[in-house]
Amino acid sequence: YIQVVADTSGEYAYQIRSSGVSGVDLVASDVTVSRQMVSPGTDFRVSGGVENRRGDIANDVSVDIFVAADTGDYENGIRIGGSTIDQVGGAATTPFSVRLTMPSDSDLSAIGLSIPTNAYVIVVVDQQRQIADSQFANNVSSALIALENECIDDDPNSNEGQSTSTSL
């Protein structure tokens, strides 16, 4: 609310101007992976948040997730999944969590990743630029992940639960 009060009665001309945080500025934030070491073909989870640092609501915000050899090189990486967030409020953060599968050895080697190595899981918010975002540079964030060879079960036993396992 705004109240205009004059010291003396009469007619006065005045203007009311406002400035602030209208618009949308989406930011990928707090990107984490559920496991620090992942083998090709195995599942893991990527979580984080999509911040909107301005005041307008952003609808249908896409979150694309890539694996790549370099933290900022998602365009030469492999898209491994994604999600759509229905709405990110103004000056708010909306969390996301996506279960993904790491691509195969051959797919990873096609982008220059040989196992074992380190790679980056990269989150890109609104990659196709569908939302009038004031600053696209902060729409990308990443987390380091170690790519390891798959652990091979080297015994014929199928009874490897805690209650029925055999000692080594």
Side-chain angles (χ1 to χ4, degrees):
Y1 294 94
I2 297 175
Q3 180 180 12
V4 178
V5 179
D7 292 338
T8 58
S9 62
E11 289 188 25
Y12 298 94
Y14 60 90
Q15 293 181 350
I16 298 175
R17 295 184 187 189
S18 68
S19 63
V21 293
S22 63
V24 172
D25 179 18
L26 298 173
V27 178
S29 65
D30 303 322
V31 175
T32 60
V33 290
S34 61
R35 299 180 349 183
Q36 297 304 311
M37 291 188 287
V38 177
S39 301
T42 59
D43 290 348
F44 66 106
R45 186 167 291 281
V46 174
S47 303
V50 176
E51 294 178 35
N52 181 359
R53 293 187 175 168
R54 313 257 4 231
D56 293 344
I57 294 171
N59 294 308
D60 300 322
V61 179
S62 67
V63 176
D64 293 295
I65 303 170
F66 298 82
V67 63
D70 190 309
T71 184
D73 194 20
Y74 67 90
E75 292 170 338
N76 291 316
I78 301 171
R79 184 183 183 280
I80 56 176
S83 180
T84 299
I85 298 174
D86 293 333
Q87 188 175 79
V88 180
T93 301
T94 302
F96 68 87
S97 184
V98 180
R99 185 176 176 156
L100 305 164
T101 301
M102 186 58 68
S104 69
D105 282 335
S106 59
D107 289 339
L108 292 168
S109 67
I111 62 166
L113 292 170
S114 59
I115 310 301
T117 191
N118 286 332
Y120 291 90
V121 173
I122 304 169
V123 173
V124 183
V125 176
D126 190 29
Q127 179 192 10
Q128 300 298 320
R129 312 272 328 246
Q130 299 296 311
I131 298 169
D133 192 342
S134 66
Q135 174 172 211
F136 186 70
N138 58 9
N139 290 31
V140 179
S141 187
S142 64
L144 181 67
I145 194 166
L147 298 176
E148 297 289 334
N149 289 316
E150 184 177 0
C151 180
I152 298 173
D153 187 2
D154 58 357
D155 67 30
N157 299 324
S158 61
N159 63 338
E160 294 178 347
Q162 285 185 344
S163 63
T164 59
S165 64
T166 56
S167 57
L168 296 175

